[in-house]
Amino acid sequence: MCDIIYEDNQILVVVKPQNIPVQLDESNDKDLLTMLKDYLVKKYNKVGQAYLGLVHRLDRPTGGVMVFAKTSKSAERLCKQIKNNEVEKIYFAVVYGVPRFKQNRLVNYLKKDEKNNIVKICPQYEDGAKEAILDYQVLETLGDKSLVKISLQTGRSHQIRVQFANINCPLVNDQKYNKNAGKGNLALWAYEISFTHPVSKQKHTFKVAPPYDKSPWKEFSINKYLVV
């Protein structure tokens, strides 16, 4: 199971553990969506399955904060916010090397190879190409690694991992896009999500710190970058 940090009649906000799929995939490993539905069934003594809407995703090796919808209407409204780029998502990552610019916007076009589950940079007009945009800030550099804060402007599959690999700063422990990856957890964490509550219309912001007592996070003074 995972940590639940907020729950009301409309939404469920949780901390996704690393290396657990968000939804059932070909591995047939226990997935987060099923775990949370089971939790709702047990908590509310529901008969049959509980409804829980998946409105956004995190890659399997990525951990951090996620929001789910407990009603179809809330799911529809949250999905609309995401489509209209009204949901703010902030990540922390540790990358190899030092990006050329301390702050910058990366814009690429990505195409996913569904068969091999790999995403590649491609020309803008290639069939299936999708625009990917993120803003980043280098917070610290120690030796051959940099701590980076990232604001996603689009939500493409594997986006952060592919775009940083493309500027020769692959994420630490990225088994898919870093040929020299170590064997620890991927150094990518969904730190913050902000959105408008689908019913109350109030602005909600949830933040979950990365596991800063573990490598490679503990190599950096990450506490001073965590805004409460």
Side-chain angles (χ1 to χ4, degrees):
M1 191 50 185
C2 63
D3 291 333
I4 294 169
I5 57 177
Y6 179 84
E7 181 179 358
D8 62 22
N9 291 334
Q10 304 298 324
I11 62 174
L12 187 63
V13 183
V14 308
V15 183
K16 176 194 174 294
Q18 292 188 276
N19 304 314
I20 290 179
V22 169
Q23 61 185 137
L24 191 65
D25 60 18
E26 59 186 12
S27 73
N28 283 320
D29 292 339
K30 191 76 169 180
D31 63 284
L32 183 60
L33 186 61
T34 299
M35 291 179 194
L36 293 172
K37 286 182 177 181
D38 290 346
Y39 154 79
L40 292 174
V41 168
K42 184 175 181 180
K43 180 175 180 179
Y44 299 104
N45 296 314
K46 291 180 176 289
V47 177
Q49 272 202 341
Y51 175 85
L52 194 63
L54 179 63
V55 299
H56 70 114
R57 292 169 173 78
L58 290 178
D59 294 345
R60 178 173 182 146
T62 306
V65 64
M66 288 189 71
V67 60
F68 292 81
K70 292 176 67 176
T71 69
S72 58
K73 179 59 71 173
S74 290
E76 179 184 337
R77 290 173 178 173
L78 287 171
C79 285
K80 185 176 181 180
Q81 288 184 51
I82 290 170
K83 182 179 180 181
N84 293 337
N85 201 29
E86 296 168 352
V87 175
E88 299 172 36
K89 289 184 264 186
I90 304 294
Y91 292 73
F92 283 118
V94 180
V95 304
Y96 279 114
V98 185
R100 180 180 177 189
F101 301 102
K102 187 174 178 62
Q103 287 185 259
N104 199 17
R105 168 167 285 194
L106 301 182
V107 181
N108 301 102
Y109 285 84
L110 308 182
K111 183 175 181 178
K112 187 168 186 179
D113 177 347
E114 297 286 354
K115 182 179 179 181
N116 296 305
N117 194 28
I118 288 285
V119 176
K120 296 181 180 179
I121 305 286
C122 69
Q124 178 178 353
Y125 298 107
E126 186 170 320
D127 186 41
K130 294 182 178 180
E131 188 176 37
I133 305 171
L134 65 79
D135 298 314
Y136 74 82
Q137 177 185 3
V138 178
L139 301 176
E140 278 185 31
T141 296
L142 288 173
D144 63 346
K145 302 185 189 79
S146 296
L147 175 66
V148 182
K149 186 177 182 180
I150 300 154
S151 175
L152 274 189
Q153 306 303 318
T154 56
R156 308 303 181 198
S157 181
H158 300 184
Q159 176 180 342
I160 294 172
R161 301 161 69 183
V162 175
Q163 288 192 278
F164 274 93
N166 187 60
I167 61 169
N168 297 316
C169 291
L171 270 64
V172 170
N173 298 334
D174 190 344
Q175 305 294 328
K176 196 175 288 286
Y177 299 102
N178 180 2
K179 63 182 180 180
N180 298 314
K183 294 186 178 181
N185 285 336
L186 177 69
L188 179 61
W189 189 264
Y191 165 62
E192 178 181 332
I193 189 166
S194 297
F195 56 89
T196 301
H197 192 281
V199 173
S200 72
K201 307 303 180 185
Q202 292 183 328
K203 183 70 175 287
H204 278 28
T205 298
F206 298 96
K207 301 175 183 179
V208 176
Y212 50 80
D213 59 334
K214 298 178 181 177
S215 292
W217 308 103
K218 67 180 182 181
E219 299 171 30
F220 299 90
S221 305
I222 196 166
N223 275 339
K224 67 182 181 182
Y225 306 111
L226 303 177
V227 181
V228 178

